[in-house]
Amino acid sequence: MKLELLMKIPERGKEEGLAAYAQRLTELYSNTNSSESRKHRGQFFTPEQVSSFMVSLFDITHKKIRLLDPGAGTGILSAAFCERLLNNGKTGNLIIDAYENDPNILPFLKMVLGSCKSELEKNGLDVEYNICDKDYILQNKSYFTKSDLLWNGEKPVLYDFIISNPPYYKLDIESPQASIMNELISGQPNIYALFMALSASMLKAEGEMVFITPRSFCSGLYYKKFRQWFLKNARITNIHIFESRKEIFNQDDVLQENIIIKAKKLKDIEKHNKIIISESKNKHFDKISKLEVQSEDVIFRKNGDIFIRIPTSPLDIEILDVIDSWPHTLKELGLEISTGPVVSFRAEEFLLPELTEKPASVPLLWMHNMKDMNVVLSIHKEKKSSAIKVSSETKYLLLPVKNYVLVKRFSSKEQERRLYASVLLESEFPFKHVGIENHVNYIHKPGGALSVNEAFGIASLLNTTIIDKFFRSLNGNTQVNATDIRSLPLPDIENIRKIGKAVYESKSYKNGIDLDGIIAGILGLKIETQSLNG
Ligand SMILES: C[S@@+](CC[C@H](N)C(=O)[O-])C[C@H]1O[C@@H](n2cnc3c(N)ncnc32)[C@H](O)[C@@H]1O
């Protein structure tokens, strides 16, 4: 950063709040640093309103407070914390330790923390702040690696409160940060989870941390060990989610869904505690709703894994309970889900715009051929081939025509549900083979074939709002991949067949409410299906 710019960092206005000032400096910093360099450092800055909301989650009763702000940026989170102390007329003593390793942002951070100190001191609070310009993880590794006994009487500093919007970027598995915390890593590590775990290690007993992070740690293989470690060492008390995924960090194109969590360091992790889940439409926190749930509804253990599920209504909880009680998975029913083998750019030489007799060809099915619960061959999309040649070279790409359940791997923007399933019916498909494109998964029975009723039963279940809500509680992804479907509980096969028969014979194959009604009727569910689309 140029020297003349550093000299020009503006002072806080007389009437300007502390967090508003930090926000102004964040904007100034963002306008003078390229978005590539910000992305590289994992810099997605917290808006003022989100900072204030995060701070409002702390229970502050102490007179002497030690606050940690790892990855502080311009210090907006510390500033919001100070503002809360001011608004509550607190007196006492505050020490802020801020970590920030971007030399370009440090002068802004210094201005903000300096301003916090003078404002709080004017109001009767003693303030000390320390800025550490080193890597937060490397600098504090001993908190994670040393057991209490190994500190040799030299007492580590522990914190009452930790607030952070940690950086978000993938780390090399060989990086020194990842090596220090390798017991938490199941795949490609992301620095945000390491910030969370280290912070949990730096809390006093009963201390509290509030973090805004991507939702990805709540489910999925990569964060399995992290979840196990974190939930053993801290107790989640609050989770906030945003209905609109894009809006939170609007200056930066963040597509990840973000959540705010508050966790407490507690010696005895009780089983039956409560968790408050709140939801707001956007970062302005209008239309905020709150739900108090049992921790078991959120922290869910299955097959040696542990998940954090986020139901947002009593109906969501009912749905989790119902689906958790279903006894089977695809595998237990002798079924498998696979990904369509035709990757169009690799198979280009075999693809044809239209079906032809010479050379012999068969239909190539894409997501756009799935309509309601049918496969519709007459739907064409520009630049997408409709057929694939049949030859010895394409043998491995083609499937024998049988009854299959096709499931979209990606959801389109206009699609309300995440899951979209159709049935390829052998009796209505006048070909011996078929090509299934790579954006489509298909459910099949290895060594056999699905019956019509089984295929319709499974497709109907996948298309219900009940299953959609189940997946939404489980993760924030817009796509549902094969692994998710493999672990989805399913009712027993007799009931699946009954559902399939009722839907197939109704011939309307309608989605949404009708399917939910049929399924609730057959399975004897007490869920009020009328409320599902509300
Ligand atoms: C997501 S930003 C959040 C900034 C600020 N706390 C806020 O809420 O707006 C994360 C910050 O952490 C800093 N950072 C990235 N890696 C770091 C590391 N290893 N140690 C300390 N700070 C780091 C980045 O430069 C960035 O300013």
Side-chain angles (χ1 to χ4, degrees):
M1 175 171 300
K2 295 203 180 88
L3 194 63
E4 60 273 25
L5 218 156
L6 291 185
M7 313 293 286
K8 271 195 218 147
I9 296 178
E11 299 275 339
R12 183 164 63 93
K14 269 204 175 126
E15 302 293 316
E16 195 173 25
L18 296 169
Y21 176 50
Q23 164 123 325
R24 185 154 64 93
L25 295 198
T26 301
E27 280 158 20
L28 189 64
Y29 170 83
S30 300
N31 292 339
T32 45
N33 285 268
S34 71
S35 71
E36 286 77 58
S37 82
R38 285 186 278 125
K39 233 182 199 164
H40 177 71
R41 288 184 176 276
Q43 290 178 329
F44 302 100
F45 298 112
T46 318
E48 185 186 345
Q49 276 168 310
V50 176
S51 310
S52 306
F53 176 82
M54 288 171 68
V55 162
S56 74
L57 296 174
F58 287 126
D59 284 324
I60 309 177
T61 50
H62 327 40
K63 280 264 175 217
K64 279 186 160 189
I65 298 170
R66 193 136 200 165
L67 172 72
L68 175 66
D69 184 349
T74 62
I76 192 161
L77 299 175
S78 291
F81 190 92
C82 290
E83 213 156 66
R84 170 149 178 223
L85 297 186
L86 278 178
N87 292 341
N88 292 1
K90 284 256 170 213
T91 53
N93 179 294
L94 170 68
I95 300 176
I96 304 174
D97 290 337
Y99 283 82
E100 175 52 63
N101 69 351
D102 171 7
N104 287 343
I105 211 167
L106 289 172
F108 294 84
L109 176 60
K110 223 170 168 181
M111 288 293 280
V112 169
L113 294 185
S115 194
C116 290
K117 180 177 165 70
S118 63
E119 189 63 31
L120 264 58
E121 289 192 337
K122 261 194 251 161
N123 287 274
L125 270 136
D126 267 348
V127 179
E128 176 189 326
Y129 69 86
N130 309 296
I131 296 177
C132 178
D133 61 2
K134 305 270 178 343
D135 183 291
Y136 170 59
I137 307 277
L138 300 182
Q139 199 65 14
N140 293 294
K141 63 178 184 203
S142 23
Y143 283 87
F144 199 76
T145 50
K146 270 193 197 176
S147 70
D148 290 350
L149 288 174
L150 288 173
W151 282 93
N152 286 338
E154 156 214 353
K155 254 189 148 180
V157 174
L158 295 173
Y159 293 86
D160 303 292
F161 300 105
I162 304 183
I163 189 157
S164 182
N165 167 4
Y168 172 82
Y169 54 82
K170 285 181 181 149
L171 280 171
D172 194 299
I173 196 135
E174 307 287 338
S175 65
Q177 290 90 342
S179 315
I180 291 164
M181 301 178 96
N182 68 350
E183 67 176 276
L184 304 186
I185 291 165
S186 336
Q188 168 101 59
N190 194 305
I191 190 151
Y192 85 83
L194 305 191
F195 265 57
M196 283 172 84
L198 181 57
S199 294
S201 309
M202 293 174 78
L203 276 177
K204 281 185 187 162
E206 304 276 328
E208 301 180 350
M209 58 191 272
V210 173
F211 269 58
I212 182 165
T213 68
R215 184 173 169 174
S216 46
F217 74 89
C218 295
S219 59
L221 216 53
Y222 279 7
Y223 295 95
K224 181 176 170 176
K225 287 192 196 162
F226 166 75
R227 282 194 295 279
Q228 280 163 341
W229 185 94
F230 189 78
L231 294 168
K232 222 189 259 169
N233 287 278
R235 183 208 283 177
I236 295 176
T237 59
N238 298 67
I239 300 178
H240 183 84
I241 68 170
F242 300 94
E243 227 177 85
S244 147
R245 67 172 46 228
K246 279 192 190 157
E247 244 206 272
I248 312 311
F249 299 104
N250 50 355
Q251 13 11 357
D252 311 283
D253 52 340
V254 174
L255 287 176
Q256 277 272 350
E257 193 176 7
N258 287 284
I259 63 171
I260 293 170
I261 77 156
K262 173 181 166 187
K264 253 182 142 172
K265 177 94 161 189
L266 290 171
K267 282 226 172 88
D268 303 308
I269 312 277
E270 283 171 39
K271 252 192 142 190
H272 302 289
N273 70 302
K274 296 259 174 33
I275 295 180
I276 294 176
I277 295 176
S278 52
E279 184 177 29
S280 62
K281 229 180 162 43
N282 50 35
K283 65 178 176 193
H284 306 299
F285 296 92
D286 20 78
K287 286 204 182 160
I288 188 161
S289 63
K290 267 190 192 171
L291 181 72
E292 196 178 69
V293 303
Q294 296 291 342
S295 65
E296 293 90 330
D297 286 323
V298 174
I299 316 292
F300 179 71
R301 291 160 214 269
K302 193 171 180 187
N303 302 336
D305 202 344
I306 183 163
F307 304 94
I308 300 168
R309 308 196 292 197
I310 314 182
T312 56
S313 67
L315 180 63
D316 285 354
I317 296 174
E318 258 184 80
I319 288 174
L320 289 176
D321 289 346
V322 164
I323 296 185
D324 288 343
S325 73
W326 288 352
H328 298 295
T329 56
L330 278 183
K331 196 171 178 197
E332 287 160 11
L333 299 177
L335 306 177
E336 176 54 303
I337 178 163
S338 308
T339 299
V342 182
V343 179
S344 62
F345 70 89
R346 288 202 199 115
E348 220 162 342
E349 58 184 305
F350 309 121
L351 303 188
L352 299 164
E354 298 285 345
L355 272 172
T356 51
E357 274 181 24
K358 272 190 186 162
S361 69
V362 292
L364 174 62
L365 301 183
W366 300 74
M367 292 204 293
H368 63 251
N369 296 113
M370 296 168 62
K371 178 110 178 53
D372 298 332
M373 247 191 276
N374 300 308
V375 170
V376 184
L377 293 181
S378 56
I379 306 176
H380 298 281
K381 262 209 168 162
E382 225 189 313
K383 295 190 191 145
K384 307 263 192 231
S385 316
S386 300
I388 177 163
K389 286 181 199 168
V390 180
S391 72
S392 56
E393 286 172 303
T394 58
K395 228 175 167 181
Y396 73 103
L397 291 174
L398 301 178
L399 302 173
V401 168
K402 298 182 189 178
N403 297 328
Y404 293 114
V405 177
L406 307 184
V407 188
K408 289 188 185 180
R409 287 181 62 202
F410 301 88
S411 37
S412 55
K413 275 194 205 120
E414 63 275 10
Q415 191 177 311
E416 269 178 32
R417 278 181 287 106
R418 297 198 183 169
L419 264 173
Y420 199 107
S422 300
V423 175
L424 188 158
L425 264 189
E426 184 182 1
S427 59
E428 292 180 9
F429 202 82
F431 301 90
K432 279 219 160 86
H433 291 93
V434 61
I436 298 185
E437 197 271 335
N438 193 251
H439 288 72
V440 177
N441 280 326
Y442 63 101
I443 296 174
H444 54 109
K445 190 175 209 165
L450 286 163
S451 70
V452 174
N453 290 344
E454 288 165 354
F456 269 94
I458 291 166
S460 305
L461 277 162
L462 296 182
N463 283 333
T464 53
T465 317
I466 298 180
I467 298 272
D468 182 63
K469 285 190 177 288
F470 178 82
F471 275 117
R472 279 175 202 266
S473 294
L474 191 60
N475 68 43
N477 305 339
T478 45
Q479 67 213 51
V480 179
N481 52 37
T483 331
D484 295 324
I485 297 194
R486 280 191 198 109
S487 55
L488 174 72
L490 291 169
D492 61 64
I493 197 72
E494 276 316 312
N495 277 321
I496 291 177
R497 289 180 187 133
K498 276 190 204 159
I499 294 166
K501 188 167 185 301
V503 173
Y504 182 58
E505 285 176 0
S506 83
K507 288 284 177 196
S508 62
Y509 306 163
K510 271 195 203 150
N511 296 328
I513 194 77
D514 284 337
L515 291 178
D516 285 301
I518 290 173
I519 282 160
I522 290 174
L523 298 179
L525 307 182
K526 297 211 172 53
I527 291 175
E528 196 40 77
T529 53
Q530 299 301 330
S531 55
L532 284 169
N533 288 353

